[in-house]
Amino acid sequence: MSETSLSALLPPLRLLVLGCGHVAQAFLPLLAPRGEWLGRELGVRPVITGMGSRSRGLYIHPEGINAETLTHQRDPSGWFSSTGTRVETVEAFIQAGKNAGASLFIELTTLNPLNGQPALSHIRKALEAGMDVITANKGPVAYAQVELQSLARRHNVQFRFESTVMDGFPLINLAEFTLAAVGIRSFQAILNSTSSLVLSMIEQGYSRDEAIHKAQQIGVAEVDPWYDLDGWDAALKTTILANTLLDGQLTPHMVEREGIRNLTADEICAAALAGSPLRLVSQAYCKHGLVIAEVRPRRISSDNILHIGKGTTGVISLETEAMGIMTLVEHEPGIAQTAYGILNDLITIQRQRSTM
Amino acid sequence: MSETSLSALLPPLRLLVLGCGHVAQAFLPLLAPRGEWLGRELGVRPVITGMGSRSRGLYIHPEGINAETLTHQRDPSGWFSSTGTRVETVEAFIQAGKNAGASLFIELTTLNPLNGQPALSHIRKALEAGMDVITANKGPVAYAQVELQSLARRHNVQFRFESTVMDGFPLINLAEFTLAAVGIRSFQAILNSTSSLVLSMIEQGYSRDEAIHKAQQIGVAEVDPWYDLDGWDAALKTTILANTLLDGQLTPHMVEREGIRNLTADEICAAALAGSPLRLVSQAYCKHGLVIAEVRPRRISSDNILHIGKGTTGVISLETEAMGIMTLVEHEPGIAQTAYGILNDLITIQRQRSTM
């Protein structure tokens, strides 16, 4: 019997996927090529039982969508075939998915940086329905991590969000699985790649508008670049890291935030020429039992480990009680890393579940 | 009831500790201050049921050695009180420890770089006796990792060795718990701090002998510095990493090894002046299904991520299929990190055991 037919005998792990943008389009094609590996390692066979988005509609496929289709047909419009049953609301999607046996809800909708909605409500409903949840959406985590983790515990399920910070670099799992008792005291990091790229292009002589335009052309900056350049993206990530690594209870509005909007090209170039370029730096630390976090432009001297962060490279340096300073560098990350972070969360959930 | 008296009610986790050198002296004092945390997180109370070394003798303490004593009395000669029962051989030590309820054997004896003995035999015996084993000793792992892991599985126990590479930086756990399915293709690393330190001092104008002498004075180089400078230490670490990260089946003699002995001061200084200093670099990769590993001096250009490795800093850069390049930096590590790596292995073992 071939490996493929053997894995067909494994019990299904039924997934609901909400959101059909870049992240979903990078994640879903990862499943089929790893089907054999996942079967061997986890003893299950992932099956897409439901998929949808606001613009394309919400569909339940009790028989499962063929994962091969998702791998070979890159245009997601082909994924919404006539075989599924359409439902009208996300509540109905979760309920119908649950009835069809889905146990894992993957939330990949668009970010709302102001309050994390409506993704936050969707995640609450999925957890309350007894489903494990993975999200790559920073909003719900930054605004309600503690609440959602506690809700997950009450329902004996897991809530994971590795991809929300550093594009899937396993920082959150690293802290959970390998840094217990290490005592993280503070961190400093460069977390927003758009800001780094725009600053380094201004250093090379481009005007701010030219730099933003070029960053948009290569797909790093969004159509509205100010969410990144005003430090919102970094503030959301900093919130998540401060709450995860330092046991904080922050929301994004509690992070002191200053973006790179008010920096002049002259300042930016002079700092770089002097060997200590300006970058948008996230920092968090404990003071009198409170977690303090901030995002602001800082000059990075050449003996600072963050100096390594060239181009869109992300870097975080942890100051720990037991291990001294530990630094992690993610080189030129992209959507593929984010997608892998989701897969990694799926693997972690399944491994933990098999021991619960 | 106070936390302390509450933790006294927890079931004991009885440890045997073999070896009483620097690593044991750094590790044992970590336990008492973390007793409350370990009790809360792991539901057990670590108890030292046996301790010994070749020079000091082997003692079983069925009632346990008071961990507070180990914290406050830094001179280990005070640890060998008259209360224990002396045994003559390591076999008897393991057997008597087992009879007294010990379930975890911590092997911290001196390295034998040629074949890993006698630590390798001790670890085999402890695994065969049904005990989990932690070692900080590179020898047995580099020479017999696959055999020992398979022996551990057969006896339904664990064999862990985080501290053997990068002084406890959680690289091995990172790979096991957070990089499943990431597909590590190759790595390059600077793993031997003595070589880095000696090279950087030669760059500063010291002769080779002066540099070695200074490195010995500050406690980085051993009395015999050539184990480090001829690349043996790096070769053992490279073996362990190649076998762990790339599923290799290497022994240290299969690693192509060239140390820094034959480099002249002129070469070393000229390379540094040209901006690409010489460092002892470990590399491993797959070729035609075989894992190839080597340790040799290489010039590190300023755009190479290893260039960050100043002083005794350790650095490893992983090339992965799913996540691109990931780099981890351990700044100026010391014995405290090694000791923490052992504690981390203890935590991992206990967490896994509670789910087995």
Side-chain angles (χ1 to χ4, degrees):
Chain A
M1 197 179 272
S2 75
E3 284 277 3
T4 309
S5 50
L6 265 178
S7 78
L9 298 175
L10 292 171
L13 169 65
R14 297 191 192 276
L15 320 177
L16 294 187
V17 180
L18 186 64
C20 208
H22 295 312
V23 177
Q25 289 167 42
F27 165 66
L28 290 166
L30 293 181
L31 289 174
R34 285 168 179 78
E36 188 190 317
W37 186 92
L38 291 167
R40 206 169 52 235
E41 288 290 312
L42 305 177
V44 293
R45 172 173 55 91
V47 172
I48 317 288
T49 296
M51 194 190 299
S53 73
R54 197 160 42 178
S55 60
R56 295 176 192 272
L58 302 158
Y59 294 85
I60 297 294
H61 300 252
E63 305 300 316
I65 299 174
N66 188 331
E68 298 281 348
T69 310
L70 305 178
T71 306
H72 299 298
Q73 196 168 336
R74 289 297 171 120
D75 175 8
S77 58
W79 301 353
F80 289 82
S81 66
S82 55
T83 61
T85 305
R86 182 160 180 164
V87 293
E88 290 309 314
T89 65
V90 174
E91 289 84 338
F93 180 66
I94 291 170
Q95 194 50 56
K98 178 86 185 165
N99 294 344
S103 64
L104 175 55
F105 181 74
I106 303 183
E107 205 288 332
L108 305 175
T109 63
T110 314
L111 173 67
N112 171 345
L114 293 181
N115 58 19
Q117 291 292 11
L120 176 49
S121 299
H122 303 156
I123 291 173
R124 274 200 198 107
K125 291 209 173 68
L127 292 171
E128 284 165 354
M131 300 174 80
D132 296 311
V133 173
I134 297 169
T135 188
N137 189 327
K138 287 177 276 292
V141 189
Y143 283 95
Q145 175 178 344
V146 174
E147 178 214 320
L148 294 173
Q149 286 179 317
S150 144
L151 187 61
R153 270 193 300 276
R154 281 209 300 283
H155 289 273
N156 204 24
V157 293
Q158 295 179 64
F159 174 52
R160 298 209 166 264
F161 44 86
E162 186 67 85
S163 290
T164 55
V165 185
M166 286 182 88
D167 317 86
F169 193 103
L171 181 58
I172 290 167
N173 282 341
L174 180 88
E176 177 174 347
F177 292 107
T178 79
L179 296 180
V182 77
I184 301 173
R185 284 177 181 158
S186 69
F187 65 81
Q188 56 169 337
I190 295 178
L191 299 173
N192 180 259
S193 49
T194 302
S195 300
S196 297
L197 188 62
V198 166
L199 288 169
S200 62
M201 284 193 293
I202 293 173
E203 289 163 3
Q204 289 159 38
Y206 293 99
S207 73
R208 193 179 76 178
D209 288 349
E210 286 165 349
I212 291 172
H213 185 64
K214 265 187 102 76
Q216 286 167 329
Q217 277 182 325
I218 61 176
V220 171
E222 303 286 332
V223 177
D224 173 4
W226 295 105
Y227 162 68
D228 285 321
L229 302 181
D230 279 340
W232 274 107
D233 175 73
L236 264 67
K237 290 170 173 166
T238 304
T239 304
I240 296 171
L241 288 181
N243 292 346
T244 303
L245 304 179
L246 302 174
D247 275 333
Q249 301 250 356
L250 303 182
T251 61
H253 297 283
M254 294 158 77
V255 176
E256 280 191 59
R257 181 183 50 79
E258 181 188 332
I260 64 170
R261 189 189 283 259
N262 297 326
L263 299 177
T264 66
D266 284 351
E267 274 178 283
I268 294 166
C269 292
L273 268 176
S276 52
L278 280 154
R279 288 293 178 272
L280 189 62
V281 175
S282 296
Q283 289 191 314
Y285 55 94
C286 289
K287 193 173 176 181
H288 308 311
L290 283 178
V291 175
I292 311 289
E294 57 176 47
V295 169
R296 66 176 74 254
R298 287 182 182 274
R299 291 183 65 163
I300 311 288
S301 63
S302 62
D303 59 350
N304 184 323
I305 183 73
L306 298 184
H307 203 271
I308 202 175
K310 288 170 191 154
T312 58
T313 294
V315 52
I316 182 164
S317 198
L318 309 174
E319 185 204 4
T320 74
E321 189 189 323
M323 286 289 295
I325 292 172
M326 304 169 63
T327 302
L328 307 155
V329 187
E330 178 192 43
H331 300 263
E332 313 270 334
I335 200 80
Q337 277 81 345
T338 305
Y340 174 75
I342 299 165
L343 182 66
N344 202 11
D345 277 343
L346 182 154
I347 293 166
T348 306
I349 285 176
Q350 197 54 30
R351 282 184 174 170
Q352 298 277 303
R353 183 188 275 275
S354 69
T355 62
M356 265 156 78
Chain B
M1 196 181 270
S2 74
E3 285 277 4
T4 311
S5 49
L6 265 179
S7 78
L9 298 175
L10 293 170
L13 169 65
R14 296 190 193 278
L15 320 177
L16 293 186
V17 180
L18 186 65
C20 207
H22 296 310
V23 177
Q25 289 166 42
F27 165 66
L28 290 167
L30 293 181
L31 288 175
R34 285 170 178 75
E36 188 190 317
W37 186 91
L38 292 167
R40 205 169 51 234
E41 288 291 312
L42 306 177
V44 294
R45 171 173 56 90
V47 171
I48 316 289
T49 295
M51 193 191 298
S53 74
R54 197 160 42 180
S55 59
R56 296 176 191 273
L58 302 160
Y59 293 86
I60 297 293
H61 299 253
E63 305 301 316
I65 298 174
N66 187 332
E68 298 281 347
T69 311
L70 305 177
T71 306
H72 299 298
Q73 196 168 336
R74 289 297 172 121
D75 175 9
S77 59
W79 301 352
F80 289 82
S81 66
S82 54
T83 61
T85 306
R86 182 161 181 161
V87 294
E88 290 310 314
T89 64
V90 174
E91 289 84 336
F93 180 66
I94 291 170
Q95 194 52 55
K98 177 87 186 163
N99 294 344
S103 64
L104 174 56
F105 181 73
I106 303 183
E107 206 287 332
L108 306 175
T109 63
T110 314
L111 173 68
N112 172 343
L114 293 181
N115 58 20
Q117 291 292 11
L120 176 49
S121 300
H122 303 156
I123 291 173
R124 275 199 197 108
K125 292 209 173 68
L127 292 171
E128 284 165 355
M131 300 174 80
D132 296 311
V133 173
I134 297 169
T135 188
N137 190 326
K138 286 177 277 292
V141 189
Y143 283 95
Q145 175 178 344
V146 174
E147 178 214 321
L148 294 173
Q149 285 179 317
S150 144
L151 188 61
R153 268 193 300 276
R154 281 209 302 283
H155 289 272
N156 204 24
V157 293
Q158 295 178 63
F159 174 52
R160 297 208 166 265
F161 44 85
E162 186 67 85
S163 291
T164 55
V165 186
M166 286 182 86
D167 316 86
F169 193 102
L171 181 58
I172 290 166
N173 281 342
L174 180 87
E176 178 173 345
F177 292 107
T178 79
L179 296 180
V182 77
I184 301 173
R185 284 178 179 156
S186 69
F187 66 81
Q188 56 169 336
I190 295 179
L191 299 172
N192 180 258
S193 50
T194 302
S195 299
S196 298
L197 188 63
V198 166
L199 287 169
S200 61
M201 284 193 294
I202 293 172
E203 289 163 3
Q204 288 159 38
Y206 293 99
S207 73
R208 192 179 75 178
D209 289 348
E210 286 166 348
I212 291 173
H213 186 63
K214 264 187 101 74
Q216 286 167 329
Q217 277 181 323
I218 61 174
V220 171
E222 304 285 332
V223 178
D224 173 5
W226 295 105
Y227 162 68
D228 284 322
L229 303 181
D230 279 341
W232 273 108
D233 173 74
L236 264 67
K237 289 170 173 166
T238 304
T239 304
I240 296 171
L241 287 183
N243 292 346
T244 303
L245 304 179
L246 302 175
D247 275 332
Q249 302 250 355
L250 303 182
T251 61
H253 297 283
M254 294 157 78
V255 176
E256 279 192 61
R257 182 183 49 77
E258 182 188 331
I260 64 171
R261 188 189 283 260
N262 296 326
L263 298 177
T264 66
D266 284 351
E267 273 179 283
I268 294 167
C269 292
L273 268 177
S276 51
L278 281 154
R279 289 293 177 271
L280 189 62
V281 175
S282 296
Q283 289 191 314
Y285 54 95
C286 289
K287 192 174 176 180
H288 307 313
L290 283 177
V291 175
I292 311 288
E294 58 176 45
V295 169
R296 68 175 74 253
R298 287 181 182 274
R299 291 183 65 164
I300 311 288
S301 63
S302 62
D303 59 350
N304 185 323
I305 183 73
L306 298 183
H307 203 271
I308 202 173
K310 289 170 191 154
T312 59
T313 294
V315 51
I316 183 164
S317 198
L318 309 174
E319 184 203 3
T320 75
E321 190 189 323
M323 286 288 295
I325 291 172
M326 304 169 64
T327 301
L328 307 156
V329 186
E330 178 191 41
H331 300 262
E332 312 271 333
I335 201 80
Q337 277 81 347
T338 306
Y340 174 75
I342 298 165
L343 182 66
N344 201 11
D345 277 344
L346 181 152
I347 293 167
T348 306
I349 284 175
Q350 197 54 29
R351 282 184 174 170
Q352 299 276 303
R353 183 189 276 274
S354 69
T355 62
M356 264 158 79

